[in-house]
Amino acid sequence: MLQFDVVTIFPAMFDAVAEAGVIGRAREKGIYQLVAWNPRDFAQNAYRTVDDRPYGGGPGMVMMAEPVGRALAAARQRQKSAGVQKPRVVHLTPQGRLLNHQLVMELAGQQGLVLLAGRYEGVDERAIARGANGIDDEISIGDYVLSGGELAAMVLIDCIVRQLPGVLGDAESAHQDSFVNGLLDCPHYTRPEVCEGQKVPPVLLSGNHADISRWRLKQALGRTWQRRPDLLVKRVLSDDERSLLEEFKREMCTQELNGA
Ligand code: ADE
């Protein structure tokens, strides 16, 4: 069972991810466990203060090192009691390295993860130092700033848990996701066959599985080329894939000439 411990001043936010959909069901099935730790419970004054003004001045508040550090220590201790020798400790921050599929798979292979979701302008640097009892990783979910690390932590939990064995009903569906093979996903269709005059591509109705796979790969290559050419720069295409992509481009030109 994958063990998550989250350090957050808004533990209730995590009910959203832990109770809904496939991720909620995975928790019920005992595929992972999630425990939240609130730095307020580790604050030392009667007001349960967890933030203070920044040294050196400037706007906003900073999360205090001590309550955060104590909450992290409690989270590590819980991981240990759950049998995790060395949990990976991750701070969610826009200053972190960008999350991608490869990193998700790496994290999905861990026994336990401690996620620190900061608020305010940031967390006192002394609570997020690297090293033996410090942070292992800083991760960002994109080049934009959220009001706190909670949503980023939930994104992380969601995309990790859906990779764990037994979570997705159809064993294939995580393998066929976008990014798994370095490409975007192909388009999908379901009934009816004609929707407001738009037809389902005939090959999908043909029952010919080889043709369907070929078409799907061609669409995946074409979409990636159109929408995320940066992904193709990183990926070496086989001769077959290269010719499928050329076919996609030719078909696109024909459609444009026909005014489609
Ligand atoms: N906290 C605030 N913004 C964030 C982001 N983009 N990624 C991760 N954590 C964050």
Side-chain angles (χ1 to χ4, degrees):
M1 182 192 288
L2 178 54
Q3 300 291 338
F4 286 103
D5 282 86
V6 187
V7 172
T8 168
I9 57 166
F10 294 116
M13 282 180 77
F14 288 83
D15 295 347
V17 68
E19 282 170 13
V22 282
I23 309 305
R25 269 200 303 283
R27 180 149 110 144
E28 284 164 13
K29 284 201 236 169
I31 292 174
Y32 75 98
Q33 195 177 8
L34 191 151
V35 177
W37 300 91
N38 190 340
R40 284 201 196 286
D41 297 334
F42 298 87
Q44 275 179 326
N45 68 6
Y47 303 103
R48 308 212 303 156
T49 309
V50 291
D51 61 320
D52 207 339
R53 285 168 301 168
Y55 277 122
M61 300 291 269
V62 176
M63 273 183 100
M64 296 160 71
E66 287 172 322
V68 170
R70 283 193 284 264
L72 279 171
R76 281 178 193 282
Q77 190 52 48
R78 213 273 318 164
Q79 291 262 330
K80 207 167 162 189
S81 330
V84 181
Q85 290 315 311
K86 178 84 190 75
R88 182 112 157 224
V89 184
V90 175
H91 175 215
L92 284 310
T93 163
Q95 278 87 53
R97 66 169 153 148
L98 271 183
L99 184 63
N100 61 17
H101 178 69
Q102 198 191 337
L103 182 51
V104 170
M105 295 313 287
E106 193 185 316
L107 296 172
Q110 303 283 315
Q111 287 189 301
L113 292 161
V114 174
L115 306 178
L116 168 61
R119 283 264 147 182
Y120 313 111
E121 287 303 303
V123 180
D124 187 311
E125 200 64 21
R126 292 165 295 185
I128 49 175
R130 288 169 188 261
N133 266 329
I135 298 288
D136 299 305
D137 263 310
E138 292 195 296
I139 295 178
S140 164
I141 62 161
D143 290 340
Y144 42 79
V145 178
L146 301 161
S147 319
E150 284 80 5
L151 287 171
M154 284 189 253
V155 165
L156 206 57
I157 293 166
D158 186 294
C159 55
I160 290 171
V161 170
R162 69 194 299 287
Q163 297 297 336
L164 301 176
V167 172
L168 296 182
D170 175 357
E172 282 289 277
S173 46
H175 300 153
Q176 291 181 359
D177 279 349
S178 286
F179 306 114
V180 171
N181 61 0
L183 300 174
L184 299 184
D185 200 4
C186 63
H188 299 279
Y189 296 88
T190 186
R191 289 188 291 181
E193 264 183 55
V194 183
C195 174
E196 296 185 358
Q198 296 187 81
K199 290 184 190 145
V200 171
V203 61
L204 297 179
L205 309 174
S206 70
N208 183 329
H209 294 296
D211 282 358
I212 293 172
S213 294
R214 230 177 92 80
W215 180 86
R216 286 186 169 148
L217 178 58
K218 181 169 63 180
Q219 298 304 316
L221 287 158
R223 279 195 160 183
T224 312
W225 169 71
Q226 285 175 314
R227 303 179 187 190
R228 291 291 305 277
D230 58 300
L231 293 177
L232 287 188
V233 174
K234 288 185 238 159
R235 193 177 179 288
V236 181
L237 296 188
S238 67
D239 290 347
D240 218 28
E241 287 171 337
R242 217 186 314 275
S243 69
L244 277 177
L245 180 56
E246 288 314 313
E247 202 175 301
F248 179 93
K249 292 179 187 174
R250 276 198 304 276
E251 285 171 5
M252 223 182 71
C253 285
T254 317
Q255 276 166 14
E256 270 169 22
L257 287 173
N258 292 341

